[in-house]
Amino acid sequence: MAYQIRIKRQSAPDTKSYWQEFSYDGSADASVAAVLNELNGRMPLTDAFGNPAKPISWECGCMVRKCGACAMRINGVPRLACSVFLNTLKGTTVTLEPLSKFPLVKDLVVDRSILFENMKKIELWLKSDAYLAEYTHEARYQSARCLMCGCCLEVCPNFSAEGSFAGAIAPVNVYRILNEEQDHSHREELSAKYKAAFFDGCGKSLSCQDICPAHIPVEELTVRSNAAAIWRR
Ligand code: SF4
Ligand code: SF4
Ligand code: FES
């Protein structure tokens, strides 16, 4: 089946962006990631009008929705390129853009280090041996599934890479540590930092819940983290 792949391109953060269109005539079962691989494998790569094109920069690690690296805007929606298949999209034009809330590196690659910096600020680590209560196992497991892909931050009205609000990755990941940490003073510290980095700034619109490509129960983990950090202290 013939598709038009429109890609927003930019060779460096300080250069102008432009759109480039490519033709893809292949299986409709292909993922967007597979299409990008196919385009970059062409020798030479030319655009839909036969003009020479540079290889398309994008990131991937696992190709099976496990690493979060391939997050990008697909037809305007933040999704993982390896788990979006052409036959699930409307029409035959596919538009690819980098996530807009993070500093651009090149083409579809953005710098998501702010995610990890925010987790460091919250002190998201254990200072004691982990206490593993059986009754919280399922919720802790869901918490540990976060890919740190940034899709939830892309749709969050309160998150910006320059601001101090950490977004939904905070409640999703804090829940696990708050439950496993046995060092009382670190739990208190973590709770206070969580309150400042998330609880005080979240508008509870919950667009983060619907967009998560890993289908993590963001709302449930937010309620649980709020209860553990704020209400039960
Ligand atoms: S909660 Fe979901 S959308 Fe947000 S970073 Fe984790 S996996 Fe990605
Ligand atoms: S509930 Fe709304 S404000 Fe809070 S993290 Fe989710 S998208 Fe952002
Ligand atoms: S390449 Fe790992 S989630 Fe897509």
Side-chain angles (χ1 to χ4, degrees), residues 118-201:
N118 282 340
M119 295 302 96
K120 279 198 259 174
K121 280 187 201 152
I122 297 178
E123 295 197 14
L124 194 79
W125 54 75
L126 287 170
K127 281 194 176 167
S128 68
D129 287 343
Y131 170 72
L132 305 174
E134 217 169 279
Y135 74 98
T136 60
H137 176 84
E138 174 60 22
R140 283 186 290 108
Y141 170 73
Q142 294 297 338
S143 159
R145 290 176 53 238
C146 177
L147 307 173
M148 301 296 273
C149 65
C151 290
C152 55
L153 305 183
E154 179 74 5
V155 297
C156 175
N158 295 7
F159 173 82
S160 84
E162 298 77 36
S164 56
F165 179 63
I169 57 167
V172 165
N173 288 283
V174 155
Y175 177 73
R176 187 172 76 253
I177 306 300
L178 276 176
N179 271 260
E180 295 177 2
E181 179 62 278
Q182 298 187 72
D183 181 322
H184 180 71
S185 66
H186 184 229
R187 224 172 37 231
E188 290 292 302
E189 222 169 337
L190 187 57
S191 296
K193 290 190 169 168
Y194 168 76
K195 183 174 184 301
F198 178 76
F199 183 79
D200 291 344

Side-chain angles (χ1 to χ4, degrees), residues 70-151:
C70 63
M72 61 183 70
R73 293 179 76 94
I74 301 174
N75 289 350
V77 181
R79 304 182 72 180
L80 299 177
C82 67
S83 64
V84 173
F85 298 88
L86 297 180
N87 57 14
T88 64
L89 298 172
K90 275 192 190 145
T92 54
T93 300
V94 183
T95 303
L96 306 181
E97 297 166 84
L99 295 180
S100 65
K101 291 278 187 93
F102 303 92
L104 184 102
V105 176
K106 190 177 180 184
D107 292 340
L108 302 170
V109 180
V110 293
D111 177 1
R112 281 175 292 183
S113 53
I114 185 68
L115 270 75
F116 301 95
E117 293 307 320
N118 282 340
M119 295 302 96
K120 279 198 259 174
K121 280 187 201 152
I122 297 178
E123 295 197 14
L124 194 79
W125 54 75
L126 287 170
K127 281 194 176 167
S128 68
D129 287 343
Y131 170 72
L132 305 174
E134 217 169 279
Y135 74 98
T136 60
H137 176 84
E138 174 60 22
R140 283 186 290 108
Y141 170 73
Q142 294 297 338
S143 159
R145 290 176 53 238
C146 177
L147 307 173
M148 301 296 273
C149 65
C151 290

